[in-house]
């Protein structure tokens, strides 16, 4: 199966995350060593925000962090204090995710062509499981900010629908 250049993807994730943290939050962020994680059910505590990607490649980008870090990041973004996760915190994390994944998408379009983004989905709770259908592995970049770790994950694969559409279009041109 065709894959995205791992180094390019990691570089795009680091650049996008650094830019959003610097510009929108005024917070330092430090990238850790990236790794590949096999997909499967994962038990989670905290906040996860997902944004789907569609086009000639499909998949999703995801940011996960603790509830406490979500409150601190939201406070930095909205200039307010949040002692607990509420609708404002969930909205702020959705917007941060949209900005980071959107910036990664823009960088990837240089190699992959036009891509679209879905509306962010945010999940919050304790001891819940997540699983993404059709994803075999994630590229994971851990970051450290405000003394806590959070992760940006990306899963991307060629779109079977786009491949079929491209083949159909190419066949029409030869007729």
């Amino acid at each position: 199966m065709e894959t995205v250049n791992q180094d390019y993807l990691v570089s795009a994730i680091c650049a996008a995350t650094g830019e959003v943290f610097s510009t929108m939050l005024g917070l330092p962020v430090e990238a850790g060593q990236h790794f590949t994680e096999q997909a499967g059910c994962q038990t989670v505590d905290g906040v996860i925000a997902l944004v789907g990607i569609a086009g000639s490649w499909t998949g999703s980008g995801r940011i996960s962090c603790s509830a406490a870090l979500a409150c601190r990041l939201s406070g930095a973004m909205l200039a307010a204090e949040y002692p607990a996760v509420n609708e404002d915190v969930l909205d702020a994390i959705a917007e941060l995710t949209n900005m980071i994944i959107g910036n990664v998408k823009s960088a990837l379009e240089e190699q992959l062509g036009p891509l679209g983004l879905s509306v962010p989905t945010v999940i919050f709770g304790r001891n819940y499981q997540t699983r993404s259908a059709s994803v075999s592995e994630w590229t994971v970049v851990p970051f450290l900010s405000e003394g806590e770790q959070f992760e940006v994950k990306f899963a991307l694969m060629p779109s079977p629908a786009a491949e079929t559409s491209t083949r159909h279009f190419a066949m029409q041109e030869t007729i």
Side-chain angles (χ1 to χ4, degrees):
M1 179 199 297
E2 192 176 356
T3 60
V4 173
N5 179 302
Q6 180 89 359
D7 292 334
Y8 188 79
L9 176 59
V10 170
S11 177
I13 291 170
C14 291
T17 303
E19 181 180 328
V20 169
F21 268 67
S22 172
T23 320
M24 299 305 296
L25 304 175
L27 294 174
V29 65
E30 183 180 327
Q33 181 61 43
H34 74 276
F35 59 94
T36 302
E37 178 179 273
Q38 296 305 308
C41 286
Q42 299 173 329
T43 302
V44 180
D45 287 330
V47 178
I48 290 181
L50 301 133
V51 175
I53 298 165
S56 58
W57 288 68
T58 61
S60 61
R62 154 180 162 170
I63 293 179
S64 58
C65 65
S66 70
L69 184 57
C71 290
R72 286 198 298 275
L73 296 177
S74 300
M77 182 176 181
L78 302 173
E81 282 192 37
Y82 297 100
V85 174
N86 63 18
E87 295 232 1
D88 288 341
V89 171
L90 297 176
D91 287 346
I93 296 301
E95 187 54 34
L96 286 172
T97 302
N98 198 43
M99 287 186 275
I100 291 170
I101 302 306
N103 286 351
V104 173
K105 175 206 75 99
S106 294
L108 291 173
E109 285 178 322
E110 294 174 19
Q111 291 187 353
L112 306 178
L115 299 168
L117 292 180
S118 72
V119 174
T121 299
V122 184
I123 304 161
F124 166 64
R126 291 189 183 140
N127 197 29
Y128 61 93
Q129 290 191 339
T130 65
R131 182 173 100 52
S132 293
S134 303
V135 172
S136 60
E137 65 182 30
W138 293 90
T139 297
V140 182
V141 182
F143 290 91
L144 190 64
S145 184
E146 292 288 283
E148 268 200 70
Q149 183 173 311
F150 69 96
E151 293 180 334
V152 177
K153 295 184 176 187
F154 229 92
L156 211 51
M157 64 222 69
S159 172
E163 289 174 10
T164 302
S165 172
T166 303
R167 278 193 294 257
H168 179 70
F169 181 73
M171 287 184 350
Q172 284 182 334
E173 284 185 336
T174 60
I175 296 177

